[in-house]
Amino acid sequence: VSNRMGGDEASARRLWQVVAQSFKAAEQRAIPSEDIDNVGSIAGEERVPFWEQPEDYAETQRKDRRTIFMHDDWVRHRSSERFLRNMLSIPSSGINRALYKELVFVTSVAAFVVAFNCLFVSYQGAGGVVHPGPLNFLDANLKTMSLPALPFTIAMPALSLLLVFRTNTAYSRWNEARTLWGGLINNCRNVVRQSNQYFPDDARHTPLKRRMAA
């Protein structure tokens, strides 16, 4: 700090103006924890069901979701009530909108296979007894529609490697963020320590040092 200021009081004043503007901008961008309701949305924001969300909903909402994640947010995120909160927010999840085509396809195929087997082949009742399907008389030689386990067995090693790579990537990002956050804290401490050494102890500079520490 002293090297950049060069002993000039005007430089110190300009530095303080830059710091004050940065803190003001951060406060304007941050969303207070009390403004977030019990399902994770911002207070006053209407939760839109995923079937009513537009195609670009996921992208347009990114700027509103990238807020400052502080300690209170971590406490809320790790609370035992997060399961119920996440379940209540499923209908308005942007992930459903982004993946609704894949979800509809997989669900439709599964429902078709179950309905075909129950109607044309057989089904198992609540008592464990296997009954022929209502339309089994059309063709008694029909076999159960199913997928062989061999493709899944072959794809299992590739899927496991993919999951390992994705997990390692996520951990690398988290570790990088933790390292950057630690470096930021150390740099802030260095700035405060150097400002305490540079500014004199008088009525004009003491509030400035306290603001730097805050």
Side-chain angles (χ1 to χ4, degrees):
V1 174
S2 59
N3 294 335
R4 294 183 179 180
M5 290 179 182
D8 188 6
E9 186 175 353
S11 300
R13 189 179 298 108
R14 287 195 299 268
L15 174 63
W16 163 241
Q17 292 176 355
V18 172
V19 173
Q21 292 175 359
S22 301
F23 277 107
K24 185 177 180 180
E27 291 177 355
Q28 292 176 353
R29 290 193 303 266
I31 299 177
S33 299
E34 58 270 13
D35 291 343
I36 302 178
D37 58 17
N38 57 351
V39 294
S41 62
I42 303 173
E45 176 188 359
E46 183 180 359
R47 304 284 301 200
V48 181
F50 73 92
W51 55 86
E52 296 180 0
Q53 297 171 2
E55 291 288 343
D56 58 344
Y57 179 82
E59 292 297 329
T60 56
Q61 290 296 314
R62 287 183 182 274
K63 58 183 179 61
D64 298 328
R65 302 304 178 188
R66 293 177 178 176
T67 59
I68 300 176
F69 211 74
M70 303 303 292
H71 177 71
D72 295 338
D73 300 318
W74 276 113
V75 173
R76 176 177 174 275
H77 176 72
R78 296 194 303 264
S79 66
S80 58
E81 300 177 355
R82 67 181 183 274
F83 176 77
L84 178 61
R85 182 172 62 247
N86 294 336
M87 292 298 102
L88 293 176
S89 63
I90 286 179
S92 58
S93 175
I95 299 178
N96 290 335
R97 177 58 185 175
L99 300 177
Y100 80 96
K101 295 180 180 178
E102 292 83 353
L103 293 175
V104 170
F105 175 76
V106 173
T107 304
S108 301
V109 172
F112 171 77
V113 171
V114 172
F116 178 85
N117 291 333
C118 291
L119 292 176
F120 292 93
V121 185
S122 62
Y123 64 93
Q124 185 175 359
V129 180
V130 178
H131 304 277
L135 303 179
N136 181 262
F137 64 91
L138 297 177
D139 190 351
N141 296 324
L142 286 177
K143 296 183 179 179
T144 303
M145 183 181 297
S146 62
L147 292 177
L150 182 60
F152 300 98
T153 304
I154 296 176
M156 189 178 301
L159 180 60
S160 61
L161 291 177
L162 177 62
L163 293 177
V164 169
F165 291 149
R166 294 299 297 270
T167 304
N168 291 338
T169 302
Y171 176 77
S172 299
R173 293 178 179 177
W174 173 84
N175 188 55
E176 182 181 1
R178 183 178 63 89
T179 303
L180 294 176
W181 180 255
L184 179 61
I185 293 177
N186 293 333
N187 292 333
C188 292
R189 291 175 179 173
N190 293 334
V191 170
V192 173
R193 185 181 68 253
Q194 294 179 13
S195 63
N196 290 335
Q197 295 294 329
Y198 177 79
F199 295 121
D201 294 331
D202 53 22
R204 182 176 182 180
H205 293 86
T206 298
L208 177 59
K209 293 191 294 184
R210 292 179 178 177
R211 288 179 178 273
M212 291 289 292

